[in-house]
Amino acid sequence: MVHKSWIQHLRRYFSNSSPWLTGGVAALLSVGILHLGGWKRLEQTGYNNLFQIREIGILPHRNWDERIAVIAIDEASLEKYGQFPWQRTRYAQLLQALEKSPPAAIGFDVKFIDPSSFDAQFASSIAANGKVVLARAWDNQGNLLEPVAELADAAANQGQIYHQVDADGVTREAAIWVNGPEDSIAGLGPALIEVYNLNNPNQPVSFPGPVKEEELQKVWLNWPGTVKSLPNVPQLKSPPTYSFVDVVEGRFEPKDFAGKFVLVGFTATGLADPLRTPYNLEPPTSGVYFHAAVIDNLLNHRLLQKLPKTMEIGLLLLLGSTTSWLLFHRDLKGRIAIAFLLPITWFGIAVVGFSFYQWWIPIAAPIGTILLAGIGVQLGEQYERQQLMNLFEKHVAPETANLIWQRKDEIIDEGELQAQELTATVLFMDIRSFTSISEKLSPRELLSWLNQYLDAMTDCIMDRGGVVDKYIGDAIMAVFGVPFPHTQPEEIRQDAMNAIAASLAMHERLKQLNKRLKAEDKPVIQFGIGIHTGPLIAGSVGGSRRLNYSVIGDTVNVAARLEAMNKELTTDKPYKILLTGETFDYVSDRYLAQQVTTIQLRGRQQETIIYTILGEK
């Protein structure tokens, strides 16, 4: 008997646990992790890995734009000119030295916020050059630190040098605009490009303009390559880097700075802001190269692009559902293969997007979603399997329960066990004189006594592939040949053979049980068994408030009639088993039987021949 709760369980686990639902739940979980920043650190690692793969030559390699050069305030310059800060005449000398190789724009990654007695000379050099950009910054309290007014007035432009690093110390973004309610301040790199565009109106470099709605208007950096710092060998540096003192003293070629974007900043230990990039993690390089990277990206239009948040969420939902759909009806090997290939495929897509289209496609969140969907499918199936096993193992042998799981799609439709026409063997058994026995025992003793019997008989049935359809008081109804229809004669024959084998086993178990009952001074048990093979209908039977899985049909009635006839027909027989000629035809080559009678059963045109089993041949 399959109680209504069985059907409710099956409906819930097989109707609701669709691949789309499982994948959707996994995707929503991933979106929640994304919203809480749980994927961020892994995405940052993925960002680093993409550049490091590029560095070793697996991906198309990028090089620093040749139009960028750095003039470094390095150890050699400090040794020559003394410790920092220097007199501002040094910077005036630098601008004068660059006159023989005039740059397209010069940006100072140096703050000139305190007035000095040499500001007029420096301002004069700035004005004469006409292409100098000075730095703006903010202190820890958020106060804007601007260049001395005399220098600011002489400069062609000003650019903010705001620099934010991620929690792992790596710089991945640049604020190209800081937008206030009154004005927008370009970053040092964009400010240099503005100066270039002003002087080259026929060949301007386009770059994103200010968006007032964004206070910090950031872009994702596509780092051109490793910053190499080989002293006194500028041609091997990336980008080319020259010592401040060498430039002031004229140790450079006219072509070194002509028409280039020149950045002046610190590289000396203790003065330079440390800059960690995917290429320069340890040791870090100098912060001036941060602005060089921004200029490189803007000149070549190769800033990294990220998916909008809404698109990323949609991607996760799609990946979760698709992964679950691909995994849902696969065996374990298929799932392992898909779970292995999908992340690799996605990583390949991310690599291609990064290498050829400047897209930084998320890696950790999609792969995490794929794995979560796979885990969800596997856990869901394990849970469903356990539920199904818990439901059926009490009624069928574990092997049959496993078979039901493997072939569940054949018998379960929209959460309910399907109605099926099939040929099976029905076995009825009942205890003789149960009423009189029950009158002699207390309720507790009676149930203990009865359950010992039912437990022993059920083992015999289930061990031979039978299904206990129901217990009717002291009676047992079992079926051999459900829940999967058997259509081949050999299969039907085997069901009948199993029913007879179970009946003989029950006789042996009953002998052992009666010895124990007798020793415990409890009533011994006698039973009768009726067996018939024929057509049945199996399925859910009942109404909206009560639903059982059972078999119905004339075959059930015949088996029940035979069981009741045992009292008169098997008194002197070795086994209390009656079976019809239909069943005996299937087992006659294995078992000896004796015809005991023929009867005209109601509803049948022909008489039914009744046999009793005498033993095995």
Side-chain angles (χ1 to χ4, degrees):
M1 177 178 67
V2 180
H3 190 267
K4 183 179 180 181
S5 62
W6 288 33
I7 303 302
Q8 291 171 338
H9 278 296
L10 292 168
R11 182 183 293 115
R12 181 172 64 186
Y13 294 121
F14 287 99
S15 293
N16 293 343
S17 295
S18 69
W20 309 114
L21 178 63
T22 303
V25 170
L28 289 174
L29 178 59
S30 183
V31 169
I33 295 172
L34 177 70
H35 180 70
L36 296 172
W39 297 122
K40 186 173 183 180
R41 194 61 180 267
L42 291 174
E43 293 292 6
Q44 291 172 346
T45 300
Y47 175 98
N48 293 349
N49 289 339
L50 289 172
F51 286 99
Q52 289 161 8
I53 291 172
R54 175 193 284 175
E55 178 71 0
I56 62 178
I58 296 177
L59 303 180
H61 198 273
R62 306 285 185 185
N63 291 309
W64 288 87
D65 193 293
E66 295 179 351
R67 292 171 287 179
I68 301 171
V70 172
I71 297 175
I73 300 174
D74 56 4
E75 281 79 2
S77 301
L78 294 176
E79 185 177 348
K80 177 71 174 181
Y81 298 136
Q83 293 301 308
F84 207 79
W86 295 336
Q87 293 181 359
R88 288 178 183 164
T89 53
R90 298 296 181 197
Y91 304 108
Q93 292 171 354
L94 177 73
L95 295 178
Q96 292 166 6
L98 288 172
E99 289 177 1
K100 72 173 185 179
S101 181
I106 303 171
F108 280 90
D109 186 18
V110 180
K111 295 188 286 287
F112 301 110
I113 57 177
D114 297 317
S116 77
S117 57
F118 299 98
D119 286 342
Q121 183 180 349
F122 186 28
S124 177
S125 297
I126 292 173
N129 182 281
K131 299 177 182 178
V132 173
V133 178
L134 299 181
R136 284 179 166 185
W138 287 267
D139 62 17
N140 295 331
Q141 286 72 45
N143 300 313
L144 182 61
L145 305 176
E146 297 189 84
V148 173
E150 186 175 4
L151 301 180
D153 291 341
N157 205 350
Q158 296 180 48
Q160 47 84 13
I161 55 174
Y162 177 80
H163 178 201
Q164 185 179 22
V165 300
D166 290 329
D168 61 352
V170 176
T171 298
R172 296 179 177 87
E173 294 178 277
I176 58 172
W177 291 97
V178 176
N179 299 304
E182 297 181 359
D183 61 350
S184 298
I185 306 175
L188 185 62
L192 265 71
I193 294 177
E194 284 185 325
V195 170
Y196 170 84
N197 287 343
L198 186 64
N199 291 288
N200 296 273
N202 296 326
Q203 296 178 317
V205 176
S206 61
F207 65 95
V211 178
K212 288 293 186 180
E213 293 75 17
E214 299 180 29
E215 182 178 356
L216 284 179
Q217 190 173 330
K218 297 180 181 180
V219 293
W220 294 97
L221 290 176
N222 189 353
W223 288 96
T226 303
V227 175
K228 298 176 182 178
S229 299
L230 299 179
N232 303 318
V233 192
Q235 65 270 24
L236 295 180
K237 297 179 182 179
S238 300
T241 303
Y242 303 81
S243 176
F244 190 101
V245 64
D246 286 343
V247 177
V248 170
E249 295 183 1
R251 291 191 290 272
F252 63 92
E253 300 295 328
K255 63 180 178 57
D256 289 341
F257 301 108
K260 294 185 178 182
F261 294 85
V262 175
L263 289 162
V264 182
F266 303 99
T267 64
T269 304
L271 293 178
D273 292 330
L275 174 69
R276 287 179 171 84
T277 79
Y279 296 121
N280 297 89
L281 291 172
E282 291 297 340
T285 187
S286 303
V288 66
Y289 296 104
F290 163 72
H291 304 292
V294 174
I295 296 171
D296 172 277
N297 281 200
L298 295 177
L299 289 177
N300 295 281
H301 304 290
R302 58 187 181 198
L303 290 167
L304 286 181
Q305 306 298 316
K306 283 197 73 175
L307 296 179
K309 187 68 72 175
T310 54
M311 189 177 294
E312 189 171 350
I313 292 172
L315 171 67
L316 297 183
L317 291 172
L318 178 62
L319 276 176
S321 298
T322 302
T323 300
S324 292
W325 180 77
L326 289 173
L327 296 175
F328 211 70
H329 295 295
R330 307 277 180 177
D331 59 16
L332 183 59
K333 289 183 179 178
R335 287 179 179 175
I336 291 174
I338 291 173
F340 180 74
L341 291 174
L342 278 182
I344 292 177
T345 300
W346 183 257
F347 185 75
I349 291 172
V351 167
V352 170
F354 172 76
S355 303
F356 299 100
Y357 302 101
Q358 281 76 247
W359 277 97
W360 179 22
I361 301 173
I363 297 174
I367 291 179
T369 302
I370 291 170
L371 296 178
L372 285 173
I375 292 170
V377 169
Q378 194 64 29
L379 289 179
E381 180 170 298
Q382 288 298 111
Y383 185 68
E384 291 173 5
R385 179 185 177 89
Q386 189 59 50
Q387 292 298 314
L388 191 61
M389 294 302 100
N390 290 342
L391 296 174
F392 275 104
E393 280 179 351
K394 300 294 184 183
H395 297 258
V396 299
E399 296 79 9
T400 306
N402 285 325
L403 181 63
I404 290 171
W405 172 255
Q406 294 167 9
R407 298 173 59 184
K408 61 183 181 293
D409 293 338
E410 299 179 28
I411 61 170
I412 297 172
D413 182 24
E414 296 184 356
E416 293 190 4
L417 299 173
Q418 302 181 51
Q420 302 175 90
E421 294 184 10
L422 46 82
T423 299
T425 298
V426 177
L427 180 153
F428 259 95
M429 66 181 306
D430 193 14
I431 297 176
R432 297 289 169 255
S433 305
F434 177 73
T435 302
S436 61
I437 293 172
S438 64
E439 293 173 350
K440 300 175 184 177
L441 299 173
S442 69
R444 180 176 295 182
E445 289 175 328
L446 178 63
L447 283 179
S448 174
W449 174 84
L450 179 60
N451 284 336
Q452 288 185 69
Y453 162 77
L454 293 177
D455 185 54
M457 299 303 103
T458 299
D459 283 347
C460 295
I461 293 167
M462 293 173 59
D463 288 348
R464 286 152 186 85
V467 175
V468 176
D469 184 279
K470 59 175 67 73
Y471 298 111
I472 311 169
D474 62 309
I476 301 174
M477 175 182 167
V479 187
F480 295 79
V482 293
F484 301 106
H486 290 165
T487 57
Q488 299 301 316
E490 187 58 34
E491 294 176 321
I492 299 170
R493 174 179 179 275
Q494 188 60 53
D495 292 334
M497 299 276 283
N498 291 343
I500 302 301
S503 300
L504 297 179
M506 284 188 277
H507 279 77
E508 294 302 317
R509 285 289 295 274
L510 186 62
K511 290 178 183 178
Q512 300 170 18
L513 178 61
N514 278 335
K515 288 180 181 179
R516 187 165 70 249
L517 293 175
K518 191 173 182 179
E520 296 172 357
D521 198 26
K522 293 180 180 178
V524 295
I525 298 172
Q526 293 182 1
F527 60 38
I529 297 173
I531 300 173
H532 177 52
T533 303
L536 293 167
I537 295 175
S540 300
V541 179
S544 59
R545 298 184 64 181
R546 175 79 176 182
L547 196 63
N548 296 331
Y549 177 80
S550 188
V551 293
I552 58 175
D554 184 59
T555 299
V556 177
N557 299 330
V558 172
R561 288 279 304 277
L562 293 187
E563 180 275 318
M565 295 168 61
N566 265 277
K567 299 173 183 177
E568 295 83 21
L569 299 179
T570 62
T571 303
D572 58 345
K573 306 304 181 200
Y575 298 105
K576 311 306 178 184
I577 303 171
L578 292 179
L579 63 155
T580 61
E582 288 88 339
T583 301
F584 182 64
D585 287 342
Y586 286 112
V587 302
S588 58
D589 61 339
R590 175 73 62 84
Y591 295 100
L592 294 172
Q594 178 184 347
Q595 180 179 335
V596 293
T597 188
T598 59
I599 60 172
Q600 181 68 48
L601 294 175
R602 186 171 56 186
R604 290 192 155 206
Q605 295 181 354
Q606 296 180 344
E607 290 186 332
T608 300
I609 303 174
I610 310 299
Y611 292 87
T612 183
I613 292 294
L614 300 178
E616 289 191 68
K617 287 185 176 180

